[in-house]
Structure formats: C-alpha cells, structure tokens
Amino acid sequence: MSTPQKATLTFLGAAGTVTGSKYLMTLDDRRILLDAGVFQGDWHARNRDRFPIDPASLSDVLLTHAHTDHVGYLPALVRHGFRGPIWATEASIRLAEIVLRDSGRLQEQAAANAERNGHPKQDPLYDSDDVENTLPLFRAVEWDTNVDIDGIWARWTRSAHILGSASIHVEFGDRSVLFSGDLGRHQHPILKDRETPPGADIVLIESTYGDREHPDPDLPHEDFADTIRRTVDRGGIVVVPAFAIDRTETVLHALVQMRRAGRIPEVPVVVDGPMSLRGLEVYTDESLGELREDITVADFTDLDLTLARTSRDSKELNGRKEPMIIISSSGMAEGGRVLYHLQRLLPDQRNSVVLTGFQAEGTRGRELEEGARQVKINGRYVKVRAEIVRDREFSVHGDASDLMDWLKDLDKEAEEVFVTHGEPEVAKLFAERITDELGWVAVAPKYGEVISLLDDDWDPQDLDPDAPEPQAHSTEPRI
Ligand SMILES: [Zn+2]
C-alpha cells in the first residue's frame, strides 16, 4: 500500500480507563480495528453505547491477546454486521474461543437476571450464536513475520503478558504505528521472554502500572504463603479469585513452587470452573510452544489437586469444611463461581481471600481491596470478616521501569507516544515520565480522541466524516 492520503486513529477504549481496548485506524477508506475489548468496572455501561461506526464497514480486526478487555466486544461487532477476518496468534485464538464462549453465556445470563430483578427487558450485548459466528473469522499469524493484510503489513511480537500475547507493529506506505498491547515483565514465570518489536513513528503503550514498581522479594509470594499457613492453622479456607486465563496457571505454578520448597503445608487445592480448566488445557498444550523450556505440566499440577468441572462438583465443595485453597474466576469477583464461594466464606473470620490481579475501579475485588465491610453479591449484602490479602507479585503487567525499558529498546525514536490502558492519573504521570526521561512527545489521550498518523499538517477536513465522538452513555443497573 502506498502512504494513504489520510490516516487517523481514534481511541475508542483504554483511554481514560484501563479496560475496553479498541483503537480504530482509518487509512483512506479502509477501517481497521486494533483490539475489540469490553469495558469493565465503572465503565461497563458504555458497552451498550452504539458503536460509533457501522461495524460492517471494518475490513479487519487485529488482536493483541485474548483477555476480555481486548476481545470481549468481537461478537457485538459480528452481531451488527462485521464479517472481516480477525488476525491473532494461534494461542490467542485458542484462548479467545474459551473467553468468548464464556462471555456469550454471561451476557445471556446478565440479561435474564436483570429482567428477573425487575429491570426493563434488554437484549444481551450478544449471545452464544453471535459467538459461534465470530469464531470462524479468526486467522492465525506467525510470530515476528510481516503479515500482508490487503496491502498493510502487520507483525506480532511476543509481549510475555499471557499465552499468545503480542505487540503489533503496523506499516502502511512509509508510516508505521506500534501497539504495545499489554506488556509483561522482562521475564514471565512460565512464558517465553518478551521480545522487542520494531520501532515506529507513532507508539501506543499501556500504563496499567505506569506509576509503580513491583516488589522483587528474595522469597517470592511470601505474603501468600504466610496467609495459607495462617488460614490452615485456624481451620479456614483460602479463596483465590483468579482470572481463568493465565492467572489460574500462574497461581498453580506458584503453589507448586511453595509446596516443593516446603513453605506451605500439604493442603487440598481446588480449581473451580470449566473455563479455568479449559484454559489450563491450552496452557499445558506443549505443541503450542509458548512456555519456557524448563516448564512442564507437573509445574502446574504437582499438588493435592481437584478440578471442579461441573456445577455439581462445585456445590460439593460447600460440604467440605477442612482447610483448602479454592482458585476460581472471575479475578475481580465480578462474576463466575467465585461469587458463590465469596458469599459463603466472606462472613467467617477464619477464612481469607487472596487477590491476585489488578482490581479495576468499581469492581467487587476493588471494594474488598479497599477494606469494604460488606459487599453486594447476587442482590444481597454480605459481611466481610475474612482476611483480605493482596499479592502484588502476580502482576503480568510490567511495572513502570519494565514499560520504560520496552520503549528504550525500540530501534527508533517515536514522533509521538500515546499512553493508554491506565487510570487517568497514572497514564498522565507515565506520559510525563516518558517526556522527562526520553524527551519524546507523550500524551495520555482522551476517550474518543482522534489523532493523525501522517507527518504532514493536520487538516480537520481529512478526518473521517463519520469519525466517532464520545457520547453520553446509557446507564445499566449493577446486579
Ligand atoms: Zn491483558
């Protein structure tokens, strides 16, 4: 493709918030979406906003990785006419199938529950049929290979965040844009190392932890281990809300390490949830070639491990009173089987809850993290007497130094850096740090903001006439 006459990028998500990653690239008449995530937490009502352009007019979607806040909106696009290919790595496609099927069911349930609770009838954002219509659109890409997407080059490079996660470098004519996707630390405990993509004229970088450094302790996860020891001593149960994809696997890996080192007693470990178990199957599929060479299946399973697949398996756990560790999704306690465990176990001070991931504003996980005395679950307020512990070592997002290093390793200076995927204050602080340390133009864009990807003068006439504008969002009661 020669350099387009007009080329813009619109921030349709992960701007002003951490979730909802969606970046619309308009290259002359072509429209390409980079990631298609749903909003979570306080912003979730915006998922209901009309998509600012006709989804049928998108030619392609490129995906960085399979987390819901990067793929969960795909079936909504398909429901409203999108039929183009969705490009992603093989491992991302395998995980996206799991995530989207689960999400289709959750969307249907949420609509049904809302109606049952007396709210006006509302169609789900999408349903399982939309999900099944989405899956055949996936196209697998090779790592570090220029993929020809109808005249545009795109290249996926390992970002060591979750299985299959990538940064995506896009080139059209003599211009280029680099999307960091979500970036892991320099080294991931189970995945192959992060690699450096080619530099670009315009760079988007995530900033989830752009304001902090992760701990680097001599004894990994000691707070977690100590919580397990204390809880087992007092006869309690440890509940670990964990994202089904990636976090369940890294938690299991950490428990195996602790157990092998004799740092925790031999205690039953239950992974509760079909989605977590399907994720585990993909993670332990060695044919994908995504794990570090020294990692084997035993590094996830060498425990007194029970896999609770069916809801009957899950309900049986209610009858077990002995100390154990229950790992269950969702990671921010916004849905899934973990809610039932929390409802039952939060009121007892012998128990503990170990939060293992980023807790977005407005989620139950965040409320627990901030010391809520009660939380609302399934329409009831539940007393919080269990011990709440936050293990920050599990982050699969780089800290501020990891993010800076990623920028510094690029082989060219960016003309502009856009800092996305962070809470507003954090994104702004990190943008300032980039300007201070590298002297580059760095900005935290606003939701709905449009930028030019060309290097000549800005002419507002060149903008896509249908360019979306942020709109007031509908309100949807939280259940
Ligand atoms: Zn992610």
Side-chain angles (χ1 to χ4, degrees):
M1 173 178 195
S2 53
T3 308
Q5 295 295 307
K6 64 173 189 185
T8 61
L9 187 136
T10 309
F11 297 91
L12 295 180
T17 179
V18 181
T19 66
S21 283
K22 283 185 235 56
Y23 310 115
L24 174 66
M25 267 191 297
T26 304
L27 309 174
D28 289 333
D29 297 335
R30 184 112 177 251
R31 287 164 168 170
I32 297 169
L33 194 66
L34 201 301
D35 280 347
V38 285
F39 293 108
Q40 294 163 309
D42 282 349
W43 282 52
H44 88 289
R46 291 186 198 237
N47 294 324
R48 290 285 179 172
D49 290 351
R50 190 179 60 85
F51 194 65
I53 55 158
D54 177 5
S57 70
L58 288 168
S59 67
D60 305 82
V61 178
L62 315 186
L63 292 184
T64 60
H65 66 291
H67 270 149
T68 309
D69 62 325
H70 295 257
V71 302
Y73 196 75
L74 283 170
L77 294 175
V78 172
R79 187 179 178 94
H80 295 286
F82 172 68
R83 294 291 178 270
I86 303 165
W87 305 86
T89 64
E90 178 71 37
S92 289
I93 295 172
R94 293 273 301 274
L95 294 177
E97 283 176 15
I98 301 170
V99 168
L100 294 179
R101 285 199 167 122
D102 180 70
S103 180
R105 268 192 304 274
L106 290 177
Q107 296 292 349
E108 287 168 2
Q109 270 169 21
N113 287 347
E115 204 181 335
R116 203 176 311 132
N117 285 301
H119 299 297
K121 183 175 167 59
Q122 196 173 29
D123 278 345
L125 185 60
Y126 50 82
D127 59 24
S128 297
D129 289 343
D130 300 315
V131 171
E132 294 309 315
N133 293 334
T134 303
L135 302 181
L137 304 178
F138 281 111
R139 301 280 179 279
V141 299
E142 299 289 324
W143 287 111
D144 296 305
T145 304
N146 281 331
V147 181
D148 181 356
I149 298 180
D150 260 345
I152 292 158
W153 295 111
R155 188 183 180 99
W156 278 252
T157 302
R158 280 200 168 81
S159 73
H161 166 64
I162 64 166
L163 201 82
S165 70
S167 301
I168 305 179
H169 183 271
V170 178
E171 222 177 308
F172 41 94
D174 61 2
R175 300 292 290 168
S176 55
V177 190
L178 173 61
F179 299 86
S180 72
D182 288 0
L183 293 172
R185 308 207 63 186
H186 280 290
Q187 289 197 321
H188 188 283
I190 52 180
L191 300 179
K192 284 188 175 155
D193 289 349
R194 181 173 106 179
E195 285 174 25
T196 308
D201 303 318
I202 310 283
V203 173
L204 273 69
I205 184 167
E206 68 122 324
S207 59
T208 314
Y209 289 120
D211 64 339
R212 66 186 82 157
E213 301 297 324
H214 293 322
D216 232 342
D218 296 336
L219 206 50
H221 302 292
E222 183 50 21
D223 279 354
F224 189 12
D226 199 36
T227 306
I228 294 168
R229 293 191 295 260
R230 278 198 303 275
T231 310
V232 169
D233 276 352
R234 60 183 184 237
I237 293 174
V238 183
V239 186
V240 185
F243 301 111
I245 302 300
D246 189 81
R247 194 51 43 88
T248 299
E249 291 78 11
T250 44
V251 168
L252 283 172
H253 176 257
L255 290 174
V256 169
Q257 304 280 93
M258 290 176 201
R259 183 65 207 116
R260 285 178 178 162
R263 293 168 52 205
I264 55 170
E266 190 153 350
V267 56
V269 177
V270 182
V271 177
D272 186 19
M275 185 179 168
S276 308
L277 297 177
R278 280 193 284 271
L280 188 58
E281 278 162 22
V282 178
Y283 264 75
T284 51
D285 180 349
E286 286 168 3
S287 73
L288 282 171
E290 299 295 331
L291 300 182
R292 305 177 70 87
E293 265 153 30
D294 54 339
I295 297 285
T296 66
V297 176
D299 291 300
F300 303 99
T301 57
D302 199 0
L303 295 161
D304 175 1
L305 186 64
T306 306
L307 306 176
R309 198 171 290 274
T310 65
S311 54
R312 202 168 130 211
D313 297 339
S314 179
K315 281 181 190 135
E316 272 172 20
L317 294 173
N318 297 348
R320 287 175 62 176
K321 305 294 180 210
E322 78 274 21
M324 63 178 141
I325 301 168
I326 300 175
I327 305 167
S328 186
S329 70
S330 74
M332 300 189 203
E334 284 294 273
R337 288 189 191 167
V338 77
L339 286 185
Y340 296 94
H341 298 300
L342 290 174
Q343 196 169 13
R344 182 169 66 92
L345 299 169
L346 278 173
D348 187 336
Q349 60 199 14
R350 287 175 304 168
N351 302 326
S352 51
V353 178
V354 180
L355 300 168
T356 57
F358 180 81
Q359 307 295 322
E361 277 178 23
T363 61
R364 282 187 197 87
R366 180 68 159 252
E367 289 173 26
L368 290 172
E369 185 176 23
E370 290 177 347
R373 307 288 297 276
Q374 57 271 313
V375 289
K376 192 177 184 188
I377 301 177
N378 297 327
R380 304 287 308 274
Y381 281 93
V382 177
K383 213 182 281 174
V384 179
R385 297 185 66 199
E387 189 184 349
I388 311 294
V389 177
R390 173 81 167 90
D391 183 343
R392 293 191 185 280
E393 291 171 55
F394 275 112
S395 181
V396 286
H397 285 275
D399 61 20
S401 300
D402 292 318
L403 297 173
M404 282 306 298
D405 289 346
W406 184 83
L407 285 172
K408 287 177 191 164
D409 287 345
L410 298 177
D411 59 9
K412 81 184 248 183
E413 179 175 333
E415 292 164 15
E416 288 158 286
V417 177
F418 292 94
V419 178
T420 59
H421 203 285
E423 285 176 4
E425 279 309 302
V426 176
K428 196 165 152 267
L429 268 173
F430 188 60
E432 281 165 13
R433 178 164 172 187
I434 294 169
T435 305
D436 287 346
E437 284 188 31
L438 301 177
W440 298 0
V441 174
V443 177
K446 293 185 190 66
Y447 174 58
E449 186 170 343
V450 186
I451 57 153
S452 171
L453 298 176
L454 300 179
D455 59 354
D456 39 18
D457 288 341
W458 173 258
D459 180 354
Q461 298 299 318
D462 286 345
L463 284 180
D464 185 342
D466 299 333
E469 294 200 11
Q471 42 182 321
H473 61 276
S474 54
T475 51
E476 189 180 328
R478 177 153 151 203
I479 305 151

